[in-house]
Short mmCIF file of all heavy atoms in Angstrom, two decimals:
data_model
loop_
_atom_site.label_atom_id
_atom_site.label_comp_id
_atom_site.label_asym_id
_atom_site.label_seq_id
_atom_site.Cartn_x
_atom_site.Cartn_y
_atom_site.Cartn_z
N GLU A 293 9.67 -2.58 18.24
CA GLU A 293 8.19 -2.60 18.68
C GLU A 293 7.50 -1.26 18.49
O GLU A 293 6.48 -1.31 17.92
CB GLU A 293 8.14 -2.92 20.18
CG GLU A 293 6.86 -3.48 20.58
CD GLU A 293 6.50 -3.15 22.02
OE1 GLU A 293 7.05 -2.12 22.60
OE2 GLU A 293 5.79 -3.87 22.57
N LYS A 294 8.28 -0.18 18.60
CA LYS A 294 7.63 1.23 18.34
C LYS A 294 7.28 1.30 16.93
O LYS A 294 6.09 1.66 16.47
CB LYS A 294 8.62 2.22 18.64
CG LYS A 294 8.50 2.63 20.24
CD LYS A 294 9.31 3.76 20.54
CE LYS A 294 9.99 3.60 21.91
NZ LYS A 294 11.35 4.08 22.02
N ILE A 295 8.24 1.00 16.10
CA ILE A 295 7.94 1.17 14.58
C ILE A 295 6.73 0.28 14.08
O ILE A 295 5.80 0.80 13.39
CB ILE A 295 9.26 0.74 13.73
CG1 ILE A 295 10.33 1.74 14.12
CG2 ILE A 295 8.93 0.70 12.29
CD1 ILE A 295 11.62 1.34 13.51
N PHE A 296 6.76 -0.92 14.47
CA PHE A 296 5.64 -1.87 14.01
C PHE A 296 4.32 -1.51 14.67
O PHE A 296 3.33 -1.53 13.97
CB PHE A 296 6.04 -3.29 14.32
CG PHE A 296 7.27 -3.85 13.77
CD1 PHE A 296 7.97 -4.93 14.19
CD2 PHE A 296 7.76 -3.27 12.54
CE1 PHE A 296 9.10 -5.30 13.55
CE2 PHE A 296 8.92 -3.66 11.88
CZ PHE A 296 9.62 -4.77 12.46
N THR A 297 4.40 -1.07 15.97
CA THR A 297 3.14 -0.74 16.54
C THR A 297 2.56 0.64 15.90
O THR A 297 1.26 0.71 15.64
CB THR A 297 3.29 -0.44 18.05
OG1 THR A 297 4.04 -1.57 18.52
CG2 THR A 297 2.00 -0.32 18.72
N GLU A 298 3.39 1.52 15.69
CA GLU A 298 2.92 2.77 14.97
C GLU A 298 2.35 2.46 13.50
O GLU A 298 1.52 3.18 13.05
CB GLU A 298 4.01 3.76 14.75
CG GLU A 298 4.28 4.76 15.96
CD GLU A 298 5.52 5.45 15.91
OE1 GLU A 298 6.13 5.82 14.74
OE2 GLU A 298 6.00 5.77 17.04
N ALA A 299 2.92 1.52 12.90
CA ALA A 299 2.37 1.10 11.49
C ALA A 299 1.08 0.24 11.64
O ALA A 299 0.57 -0.20 10.61
CB ALA A 299 3.44 0.29 10.85
N LYS A 300 0.63 -0.07 12.87
CA LYS A 300 -0.53 -0.79 13.06
C LYS A 300 -0.50 -2.25 12.60
O LYS A 300 -1.43 -2.79 11.99
CB LYS A 300 -1.86 -0.02 12.54
CG LYS A 300 -1.99 1.30 13.12
CD LYS A 300 -3.38 1.71 12.68
CE LYS A 300 -3.86 2.91 13.58
NZ LYS A 300 -2.86 4.02 13.81
N VAL A 301 0.78 -2.77 12.79
CA VAL A 301 0.97 -4.11 12.38
C VAL A 301 0.55 -5.00 13.54
O VAL A 301 1.00 -4.77 14.71
CB VAL A 301 2.32 -4.33 11.83
CG1 VAL A 301 2.70 -5.88 11.56
CG2 VAL A 301 2.64 -3.66 10.64
N GLU A 302 -0.25 -6.16 13.29
CA GLU A 302 -0.53 -7.08 14.45
C GLU A 302 0.70 -7.96 14.61
O GLU A 302 1.17 -8.61 13.58
CB GLU A 302 -1.68 -7.77 14.20
CG GLU A 302 -2.09 -8.65 15.31
CD GLU A 302 -3.35 -9.64 14.99
OE1 GLU A 302 -4.14 -9.36 14.11
OE2 GLU A 302 -3.36 -10.69 15.85
N ILE A 303 1.12 -8.16 15.76
CA ILE A 303 2.35 -8.99 16.07
C ILE A 303 1.98 -10.22 16.87
O ILE A 303 1.42 -10.07 17.85
CB ILE A 303 3.50 -8.24 16.77
CG1 ILE A 303 3.95 -7.12 15.83
CG2 ILE A 303 4.64 -9.06 17.03
CD1 ILE A 303 4.69 -5.88 16.51
N VAL A 304 2.33 -11.35 16.36
CA VAL A 304 2.16 -12.60 17.12
C VAL A 304 3.48 -13.12 17.44
O VAL A 304 4.34 -13.28 16.46
CB VAL A 304 1.45 -13.59 16.28
CG1 VAL A 304 1.33 -15.05 16.98
CG2 VAL A 304 0.03 -13.18 15.95
N GLU A 305 3.77 -13.32 18.71
CA GLU A 305 5.01 -14.09 19.15
C GLU A 305 4.74 -15.34 19.54
O GLU A 305 4.14 -15.64 20.57
CB GLU A 305 5.54 -13.24 20.31
CG GLU A 305 6.40 -12.00 19.94
CD GLU A 305 7.10 -11.43 21.17
OE1 GLU A 305 6.43 -10.50 21.80
OE2 GLU A 305 8.25 -11.90 21.54
N LEU A 306 5.28 -16.39 18.82
CA LEU A 306 4.89 -17.72 19.09
C LEU A 306 5.71 -18.14 20.41
O LEU A 306 6.75 -17.80 20.67
CB LEU A 306 5.37 -18.72 18.02
CG LEU A 306 4.77 -18.51 16.60
CD1 LEU A 306 5.32 -19.57 15.61
CD2 LEU A 306 3.25 -18.66 16.73
N THR A 307 4.99 -18.91 21.23
CA THR A 307 5.59 -19.41 22.35
C THR A 307 6.44 -20.64 21.97
O THR A 307 6.31 -21.27 20.88
CB THR A 307 4.54 -19.98 23.40
OG1 THR A 307 3.82 -21.08 22.75
CG2 THR A 307 3.47 -18.92 23.82
N ASP A 308 7.18 -21.19 22.89
CA ASP A 308 8.04 -22.41 22.58
C ASP A 308 7.21 -23.60 22.15
O ASP A 308 7.50 -24.31 21.27
CB ASP A 308 8.93 -22.72 23.70
CG ASP A 308 10.19 -21.80 23.87
OD1 ASP A 308 10.37 -21.10 22.90
OD2 ASP A 308 10.84 -21.78 24.97
N ALA A 309 6.00 -23.70 22.89
CA ALA A 309 5.09 -24.86 22.58
C ALA A 309 4.52 -24.62 21.23
O ALA A 309 4.35 -25.61 20.47
CB ALA A 309 3.99 -24.83 23.66
N GLU A 310 4.20 -23.48 20.79
CA GLU A 310 3.61 -23.18 19.49
C GLU A 310 4.73 -23.43 18.37
O GLU A 310 4.36 -23.94 17.39
CB GLU A 310 3.11 -21.77 19.42
CG GLU A 310 1.74 -21.67 20.17
CD GLU A 310 1.39 -20.10 20.34
OE1 GLU A 310 2.36 -19.26 20.38
OE2 GLU A 310 0.24 -19.89 20.67
N LYS A 311 5.98 -23.09 18.65
CA LYS A 311 6.99 -23.47 17.68
C LYS A 311 7.19 -24.84 17.52
O LYS A 311 7.38 -25.40 16.41
CB LYS A 311 8.34 -22.77 18.20
CG LYS A 311 8.37 -21.22 18.06
CD LYS A 311 9.78 -20.67 18.47
CE LYS A 311 9.70 -19.30 18.88
NZ LYS A 311 10.87 -18.80 19.53
N LYS A 312 6.89 -25.62 18.62
CA LYS A 312 7.07 -27.06 18.52
C LYS A 312 6.04 -27.65 17.57
O LYS A 312 6.42 -28.52 16.82
CB LYS A 312 6.96 -27.63 19.92
CG LYS A 312 8.30 -28.12 20.52
CD LYS A 312 8.03 -29.07 21.67
CE LYS A 312 9.33 -29.31 22.39
NZ LYS A 312 9.26 -29.22 23.87
N VAL A 313 4.81 -27.05 17.48
CA VAL A 313 3.82 -27.49 16.61
C VAL A 313 4.28 -27.35 15.27
O VAL A 313 4.06 -28.21 14.35
CB VAL A 313 2.50 -26.81 16.92
CG1 VAL A 313 1.40 -27.28 16.01
CG2 VAL A 313 2.03 -27.10 18.37
N PHE A 314 4.92 -26.26 14.92
CA PHE A 314 5.36 -25.96 13.55
C PHE A 314 6.44 -26.89 13.19
O PHE A 314 6.57 -27.40 12.11
CB PHE A 314 5.90 -24.42 13.52
CG PHE A 314 4.71 -23.45 13.04
CD1 PHE A 314 4.15 -22.76 14.12
CD2 PHE A 314 4.32 -23.35 11.83
CE1 PHE A 314 3.05 -21.87 13.83
CE2 PHE A 314 3.32 -22.38 11.55
CZ PHE A 314 2.71 -21.71 12.48
N LYS A 315 7.36 -27.15 14.16
CA LYS A 315 8.55 -27.99 13.92
C LYS A 315 8.17 -29.42 13.66
O LYS A 315 8.53 -29.96 12.64
CB LYS A 315 9.47 -27.97 15.15
CG LYS A 315 10.80 -28.74 14.91
CD LYS A 315 11.69 -28.61 16.18
CE LYS A 315 12.92 -29.38 15.83
NZ LYS A 315 13.96 -29.42 16.86
N GLU A 316 7.10 -29.72 14.26
CA GLU A 316 6.50 -31.12 14.03
C GLU A 316 5.84 -31.20 12.65
O GLU A 316 6.12 -32.13 11.89
CB GLU A 316 5.39 -31.31 15.23
CG GLU A 316 4.79 -32.75 15.22
CD GLU A 316 5.93 -34.00 15.33
OE1 GLU A 316 7.05 -33.69 15.91
OE2 GLU A 316 5.71 -35.15 14.90
N ALA A 317 5.10 -30.13 12.36
CA ALA A 317 4.44 -30.19 10.97
C ALA A 317 5.43 -30.17 9.85
O ALA A 317 5.16 -30.54 8.77
CB ALA A 317 3.52 -28.93 10.87
N LEU A 318 6.73 -29.69 10.21
CA LEU A 318 7.62 -29.50 9.07
C LEU A 318 8.67 -30.48 9.25
O LEU A 318 9.85 -30.33 8.53
CB LEU A 318 8.28 -27.99 9.13
CG LEU A 318 7.15 -26.94 8.76
CD1 LEU A 318 7.74 -25.60 9.22
CD2 LEU A 318 6.94 -27.01 7.28
N LYS A 319 8.64 -31.46 10.05
CA LYS A 319 9.77 -32.46 10.14
C LYS A 319 10.12 -33.19 8.80
O LYS A 319 11.23 -33.63 8.59
CB LYS A 319 9.50 -33.39 11.33
CG LYS A 319 8.37 -34.38 11.20
CD LYS A 319 8.54 -35.37 12.38
CE LYS A 319 7.73 -36.48 12.19
NZ LYS A 319 6.51 -36.55 12.81
N GLY A 320 9.05 -33.31 7.85
CA GLY A 320 9.30 -33.93 6.53
C GLY A 320 10.44 -33.27 5.77
O GLY A 320 11.05 -33.73 5.01
N VAL A 321 10.55 -31.85 6.02
CA VAL A 321 11.52 -31.07 5.29
C VAL A 321 12.96 -31.57 5.64
O VAL A 321 13.84 -31.81 4.83
CB VAL A 321 11.39 -29.56 5.44
CG1 VAL A 321 12.35 -28.92 4.74
CG2 VAL A 321 9.91 -29.08 5.25
N LEU A 322 13.17 -31.74 7.03
CA LEU A 322 14.45 -32.19 7.52
C LEU A 322 14.74 -33.58 7.01
O LEU A 322 15.73 -33.83 6.52
CB LEU A 322 14.39 -32.13 9.04
CG LEU A 322 15.69 -32.77 9.78
CD1 LEU A 322 16.89 -31.83 9.25
CD2 LEU A 322 15.57 -32.63 11.24
N GLU A 323 13.72 -34.46 7.01
CA GLU A 323 14.00 -35.76 6.54
C GLU A 323 14.34 -35.81 5.06
O GLU A 323 15.28 -36.47 4.64
CB GLU A 323 12.69 -36.67 6.77
CG GLU A 323 12.48 -37.16 8.24
CD GLU A 323 11.09 -37.58 8.56
OE1 GLU A 323 10.23 -37.90 7.68
OE2 GLU A 323 10.78 -37.63 9.81
N LYS A 324 13.62 -35.00 4.22
CA LYS A 324 13.88 -35.06 2.85
C LYS A 324 15.23 -34.43 2.55
O LYS A 324 15.99 -34.97 1.69
CB LYS A 324 12.89 -34.11 2.01
CG LYS A 324 13.04 -34.20 0.67
CD LYS A 324 11.93 -33.74 -0.15
CE LYS A 324 12.42 -33.61 -1.60
NZ LYS A 324 11.43 -32.97 -2.53
N TYR A 325 15.70 -33.54 3.22
CA TYR A 325 16.92 -32.80 2.94
C TYR A 325 18.18 -33.28 3.74
O TYR A 325 19.28 -32.91 3.27
CB TYR A 325 16.78 -31.17 3.08
CG TYR A 325 16.08 -30.65 1.89
CD1 TYR A 325 14.74 -30.64 1.68
CD2 TYR A 325 16.95 -30.24 0.90
CE1 TYR A 325 14.19 -30.12 0.58
CE2 TYR A 325 16.37 -29.76 -0.34
CZ TYR A 325 14.99 -29.75 -0.41
OH TYR A 325 14.43 -29.19 -1.67
N THR A 326 17.99 -34.11 4.63
CA THR A 326 19.14 -34.71 5.41
C THR A 326 20.09 -35.36 4.38
O THR A 326 21.30 -35.15 4.32
CB THR A 326 18.73 -35.58 6.63
OG1 THR A 326 18.02 -34.72 7.45
CG2 THR A 326 19.93 -36.31 7.25
N PRO A 327 19.52 -36.25 3.52
CA PRO A 327 20.59 -36.89 2.60
C PRO A 327 21.16 -36.03 1.49
O PRO A 327 22.29 -36.16 1.07
CB PRO A 327 19.74 -37.97 1.82
CG PRO A 327 18.34 -37.88 2.25
CD PRO A 327 18.35 -36.88 3.35
N ILE A 328 20.44 -34.89 1.30
CA ILE A 328 21.04 -34.03 0.29
C ILE A 328 22.16 -33.04 0.96
O ILE A 328 23.17 -32.88 0.36
CB ILE A 328 19.86 -32.98 -0.33
CG1 ILE A 328 18.85 -33.84 -0.96
CG2 ILE A 328 20.38 -31.79 -1.11
CD1 ILE A 328 17.52 -33.24 -1.45
N ILE A 329 21.87 -32.63 2.12
CA ILE A 329 22.81 -31.86 2.87
C ILE A 329 23.88 -32.68 3.45
O ILE A 329 25.17 -32.19 3.54
CB ILE A 329 22.06 -30.91 3.88
CG1 ILE A 329 21.25 -29.90 3.07
CG2 ILE A 329 23.09 -30.27 4.86
CD1 ILE A 329 20.26 -29.07 3.91
#
Side-chain angles (χ1 to χ4, degrees):
E293 199 207 29
K294 273 188 220 143
I295 293 173
F296 299 156
T297 312
E298 266 168 34
K300 299 195 168 39
V301 171
E302 187 187 336
I303 296 159
V304 173
E305 274 186 271
L306 296 187
T307 63
D308 286 347
E310 286 165 337
K311 285 182 200 164
K312 257 199 190 136
V313 176
F314 275 96
K315 187 173 179 181
E316 186 58 25
L318 291 167
K319 67 171 194 263
V321 181
L322 176 62
E323 275 161 22
K324 178 166 176 188
Y325 277 86
T326 297
I328 296 169
I329 290 169

